[in-house]
Structures are given as structure tokens and as C-alpha cells.
């Protein structure tokens, strides 16, 4: 059986282009995450824009009340102390929580599997009615399952890691 060789030649012809497209997307995701972290690290409530400028005093008062009621500060603290503590809380806690909610990678595992499944399924379907026998079909099915659930997603993860590490090394930056 030359199934594996056939698989490699046909399926991997477009892979460099697919990887390049995904790498561009991963790089944008990495840059967005870095920008979010930088923005939150420099957060100051008094420098935030308010849609209705007359509401700024009410918003600041509500933040101060929230900080006092949640026992982050004593109820006897001033509003300025409460706002300063809120700034500190946003700068220290929010980046970690927010970036964690976005996910470690640009795609979730199920999205990676779905992309690989959709990319591989036409080839698998083409091989099913073929006259080369059931062994070829079984081998193809096994290759597609393995690629879709393991190799494909790990490829996305490695491309994501490359995009993030390039950003951290300040390589490939405009």
C-alpha cells in the first residue's frame, strides 16, 4: 500500500499556504492579546472616556461604593482611595483573567478538529467507493482520524506558539 505516500503528496501540496494563512491570523491574535495586556497595565479610571461626560461623577461614585461594599477597602476610605485601589485591581487582576478567558491559543480544540475534519473529509469520501479494496479505505479512515484529532490541532498549537514567541522576541513586528 502506498496510501501514506499518496496521502502526503496530495494533502500536503497546499499545506504551506494554509500554514501561512493561519500564521498571519495567529500573529494578529498574539498582537491583540499583547495590546490588551498593555492597555490594562496602564489603566487609570480618571483617564477613561465616558460616553456622557456628565455621568463621570456618578460612575466614579459607583466604583468607589463598589470597592467599599465588597470590602476591598474600609467604608471610611475616601473616594480617591477607592478609585486608586480600583485602578490597582484592574492593572493587577484583570489582565490575567481577561486573557485567560480569551484562551491560550487562537482556536479552541474543537475548532481545530472541525477545520481538519472539513479539510480531510472530501479526500476520504473520494477514496470510499474506489476499487482498491477495504484495506485502503480503512487505512485512509485511520489517517484522517489521526490527523484530524491529533496532528492537525497540534500543528495549529505549534504555529500559535511560534507567533507568540516571535511577538515576545520583537521579531516580525512592524
Amino acid at each position: 500500500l502506498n496510501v501514506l505516500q499518496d496521502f502526503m503528496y496530495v494533502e500536503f501540496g497546499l499545506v504551506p499556504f494554509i500554514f501561512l494563512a493561519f500564521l498571519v491570523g495567529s500573529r494578529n491574535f498574539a498582537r491583540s492579546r499583547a495590546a490588551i495586556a498593555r492597555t490594562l497595565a496602564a489603566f487609570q479610571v480618571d483617564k477613561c472616556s465616558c460616553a456622557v461626560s456628565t455621568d463621570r461623577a456618578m460612575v466614579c461614585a459607583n466604583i468607589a461604593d463598589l470597592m467599599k461594599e465588597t470590602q476591598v477597602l474600609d467604608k471610611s476610605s475616601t473616594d480617591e482611595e477607592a478609585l486608586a485601589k480600583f485602578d490597582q485591581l484592574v492593572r493587577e487582576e484583570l489582565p490575567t483573567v481577561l486573557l485567560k478567558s480569551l484562551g491560550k491559543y487562537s482556536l479552541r480544540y474543537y475548532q481545530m478538529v472541525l477545520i481538519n475534519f472539513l479539510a480531510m473529509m472530501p479526500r476520504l469520501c473520494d477514496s470510499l467507493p474506489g476499487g482498491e479494496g477495504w484495506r485502503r479505505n480503512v487505512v485512509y479512515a485511520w489517517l484522517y482520524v489521526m490527523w484530524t484529532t491529533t496532528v492537525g490541532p497540534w500543528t495549529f498549537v505549534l504555529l500559535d506558539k511560534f507567533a507568540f514567541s516571535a511577538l515576545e522576541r520583537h521579531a516580525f513586528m512592524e
Side-chain angles (χ1 to χ4, degrees):
L1 283 175
N2 282 335
V3 174
L4 185 58
Q5 186 178 8
D6 183 37
F7 177 80
M8 297 296 191
Y9 287 136
V10 174
E11 262 55 19
F12 291 121
L14 294 176
V15 166
F17 300 108
I18 295 168
F19 283 175
L20 182 62
F22 183 75
L23 199 53
V24 168
S26 292
R27 183 173 172 235
N28 289 340
F29 180 72
R31 278 210 237 111
S32 296
R33 285 177 56 102
I36 290 169
R38 279 192 308 273
T39 301
L40 290 175
F43 178 82
Q44 290 181 334
V45 73
D46 59 332
K47 298 209 174 166
C48 291
S49 60
C50 197
V52 180
S53 58
T54 57
D55 289 345
R56 178 175 288 283
M58 180 182 65
V59 170
C60 288
N62 286 340
I63 291 171
D65 290 343
L66 175 70
M67 296 301 286
K68 293 173 188 176
E69 291 300 320
T70 56
Q71 299 175 351
V72 174
L73 291 171
D74 295 328
K75 291 189 181 205
S76 61
S77 301
T78 65
D79 284 356
E80 289 77 25
E81 291 172 333
L83 293 175
K85 185 67 175 175
F86 179 74
D87 288 346
Q88 179 187 358
L89 186 66
V90 168
R91 286 191 298 265
E92 292 174 0
E93 301 293 329
L94 195 56
T96 305
V97 174
L98 185 60
L99 293 177
K100 187 176 180 181
S101 74
L102 291 176
K104 190 173 182 180
Y105 304 111
S106 56
L107 295 174
R108 303 271 193 248
Y109 178 74
Y110 74 89
Q111 293 168 320
M112 295 177 202
V113 169
L114 180 63
I115 289 169
N116 282 287
F117 176 77
L118 294 175
M120 300 292 191
M121 205 57 192
R123 180 81 170 130
L124 177 61
C125 291
D126 286 347
S127 72
L128 289 177
E132 296 189 37
W134 65 272
R135 285 190 318 157
R136 177 182 167 91
N137 294 339
V138 168
V139 171
Y140 264 121
W142 179 250
L143 283 172
Y144 288 120
V145 167
M146 290 303 294
W147 181 269
T148 300
T149 59
T150 57
V151 177
W154 275 107
T155 304
F156 284 125
V157 168
L158 292 174
L159 288 170
D160 258 355
K161 286 193 176 287
F162 175 75
F164 280 94
S165 68
L167 187 67
E168 289 170 2
R169 289 190 316 257
H170 302 292
F172 308 110
M173 304 261 310
E174 283 99 83

